Amino acid sequence: MLYSIVGQDVENSLEARLSVRPAHLKRLELLRDQGRLVLAGPNPAIDSSDPGTAGFTGSVVVAEFASLEEAQAWADADPYVAAGVYQTVAVKPFKQVF
């Protein structure tokens, strides 16, 4: 089943985000290579695809997992969680219609 994982950043998280971004991307690349990743990306803090020092307010991942528990465990192990980038992370079942 598909699950949406929505992380909301703490304020002023850009430095921490950038420091662990390679590890975060590596995990997403693994999901992609397994054919389980539907989409992933950050939410810019301003109306721009390159927000510069304004940074980001969070991230969205939609991917396939065997269960809600597996999706939650994957989200909990994200480097952004360990680095304190995310203030909250919501994991929910997702039904793709289009």
Side-chain angles (χ1 to χ4, degrees):
M1 176 159 194
L2 294 178
Y3 294 88
S4 65
I5 301 169
V6 179
Q8 295 294 320
D9 287 16
V10 298
E11 287 190 39
N12 302 312
S13 63
L14 184 58
E15 186 176 326
R17 178 182 269 272
L18 294 176
S19 73
V20 295
R21 185 171 186 261
H24 172 78
L25 292 179
K26 186 173 183 175
R27 296 177 80 237
L28 291 168
E29 289 167 354
L30 180 58
L31 285 179
R32 180 199 62 203
D33 294 347
Q34 294 170 344
R36 297 169 47 201
L37 184 63
V38 175
L39 64 89
N43 302 111
I46 60 174
D47 192 11
S48 172
S49 61
D50 183 7
T53 58
F56 301 91
T57 61
S59 301
V60 177
V61 174
V62 177
E64 183 180 348
F65 293 93
S67 66
L68 178 59
E69 293 77 19
E70 183 182 307
Q72 185 68 60
W74 187 90
D76 290 345
D78 194 292
Y80 285 171
V81 171
V85 172
Y86 290 152
Q87 180 175 32
T88 62
V89 178
V91 180
K92 298 179 182 183
F94 181 83
K95 181 179 176 183
Q96 184 174 8
V97 175
F98 294 103

